[in-house]
Every structure is written in C-alpha cells, then in structure tokens.
Amino acid sequence: PATAALNLVSLITNTMPYLATYHGETAFGGGFGFGASQAAMFKALRQVGGPGTLDSEKNTATYYKSLANDDQALRKAGLTRDEALFLARELEEGVAIPALSNSLISSARGRMTGAASQKFIDGWMVFFNRTEQSARRATLLAAYRLQYDRGIQAGKDPEIAMREARQFAVRTAEDTLGEYSVMNRPALWRGGPQQFLYMSLFFPTMSVRLLANLP
C-alpha cells in the first residue's frame, strides 16, 4: 500500500515539476508552467486515471481503439480520436501498463511460469499495479495534450504535432515514473539475485537523477 500511494504522490513530486519547468542547459522538462501542468494532470486523472476507469475492460488497447471509432463515446469520455489511439498504442507497447511487476515477472520467467504463481503475483501487486497504471496513463495523456497544443499553436502540421507529442509524453513517463527494463540499470544489477534488490532502489535513484536535472 505504501508503494501504491507513492505512485500517486510521484505525480506531484516528479511529473508536475518536469512538465512545468525547463532546464535550458540540459534540455530537460516541458516548460509549460505549474498552472497549466496541474490543470492538464488533474483533467487526465479524471478521464483515464481515476478509480472509475480502472476496470479490466478499460485497461486494454482494444477499449481505446473501439472508443476511437465511436464519436459519441469519445465525447462522453472527454477524449479526441488521436488521444484514444495514442493511449491504445502505449498500452500495446507497454508504456501505459504496470512496469514494475511486469519487469519482475519477466525477470523471474523460467522460475515462475505457472498460472498460480502469476495469479499470486497479480494479487500481491494489485494495489501497486492499479495506482501505477493510473499514474502512467494520466501522465501520458497530460503530457501529450500539452505538447500537442504547443505544436498546433506554433503552426505545425497536426501529424507532426501528434508525433512530437507522443515522443514527449513517453519521455515524460519514463523520466518521471521510471523505465524498468534491464538495460536501464547499472550492469551490476542486471542479473542474479541483485536484480530483484535493485527494484527497491530504482525509484529513489531515478528521482534523484530527475531532481538533479531540473532547473
């Protein structure tokens, strides 16, 4: 439960400072200001990250793909077609799904392949997974919207604005909430029992790196 709460707290301590500020020397952050970042984040949380959006049906790429083809449902959800397709893509590619438990399961593959073991892990991690998914989807959508609007206001073609918005949104999620792949760890922590110990070090390490790069 403590780590589950940390996922939501990190939206305030990590994601919003990243979206709000920009470090000119390191080209780090979004520079959208705290007001705009807070408004975008809370709006995204209401639409795709709150308790009402975390049922199993809405946790799939299929749901957002079908939403993209239903104008009435899109209006009700408060999304545009490109936003729904963007979320579907990130769910398919793993950016918008619980990254920590997926990494643990992948690391344990070969030792923990039984359905009962997988179900136990899912049950044990349920609080963390729900809040991590909530935080990642809200972060992705908020960052996408902010960057897309910036691109359109700058007179860019919508296709270019969408591509740049997607790239920025994925980078925001990885820089503020974490990217747990093996290659994103120091070599010492990529195999053996120590790879599991590093899981508890990853978030604070990433947060220190984030803070070091903020203006």
Side-chain angles (χ1 to χ4, degrees):
T3 56
L6 183 64
N7 285 323
L8 298 179
V9 171
S10 65
L11 295 177
I12 307 298
T13 60
N14 291 20
T15 306
M16 279 206 273
Y18 180 93
L19 290 173
T21 64
Y22 181 77
H23 197 310
E25 294 179 5
T26 58
F28 194 79
F32 296 101
F34 280 98
S37 299
Q38 183 177 14
M41 181 62 69
F42 288 153
K43 181 180 179 182
L45 271 170
R46 286 198 310 273
Q47 293 172 331
V48 301
T53 67
L54 290 175
D55 58 69
S56 58
E57 178 196 6
K58 295 180 180 179
N59 285 342
T60 65
T62 302
Y63 168 77
Y64 286 101
K65 285 181 178 179
S66 64
L67 200 64
N69 296 316
D70 187 335
D71 291 339
Q72 185 176 353
L74 276 174
R75 285 193 296 272
K76 185 177 179 180
L79 301 174
T80 63
R81 185 173 186 274
D82 63 288
E83 289 169 354
L85 290 175
F86 162 69
L87 289 170
R89 177 174 178 173
E90 301 318 315
L91 280 163
E92 286 180 331
E93 297 192 359
V95 181
I97 62 177
L100 177 56
S101 62
N102 284 345
S103 181
L104 281 167
I105 292 171
S106 178
S107 297
R109 198 160 286 152
R111 294 182 292 277
M112 206 174 294
T113 55
S117 299
Q118 298 279 355
K119 191 165 289 189
F120 172 77
I121 292 175
D122 288 341
W124 181 260
M125 298 288 287
V126 63
F127 294 120
F128 186 94
N129 285 346
R130 289 297 181 93
T131 57
E132 187 185 17
Q133 189 162 33
S134 173
R136 294 184 85 84
R137 286 196 310 205
T139 292
L140 286 164
L141 182 58
Y144 179 90
R145 284 172 167 168
L146 289 167
Q147 184 65 27
Y148 178 77
D149 289 345
R150 174 182 281 172
I152 293 299
Q153 291 170 11
K156 294 183 178 180
D157 181 83
E159 289 294 326
I160 296 175
M162 282 189 281
R163 184 171 68 250
E164 291 180 349
R166 177 185 178 269
Q167 292 170 347
F168 175 74
V170 171
R171 189 167 65 249
T172 298
E174 292 179 348
D175 284 348
T176 67
L177 301 179
E179 202 283 289
Y180 291 86
S181 68
V182 171
M183 296 310 296
N184 203 37
R185 309 173 202 166
L188 176 65
W189 304 94
R190 291 177 186 170
Q194 63 268 30
Q195 67 179 309
F196 298 105
L197 295 174
Y198 187 71
M199 291 298 178
S200 65
L201 303 176
F202 187 91
F203 189 83
T205 301
M206 182 204 65
S207 297
V208 169
R209 289 171 56 193
L210 167 73
L211 292 170
N213 278 290
L214 291 175

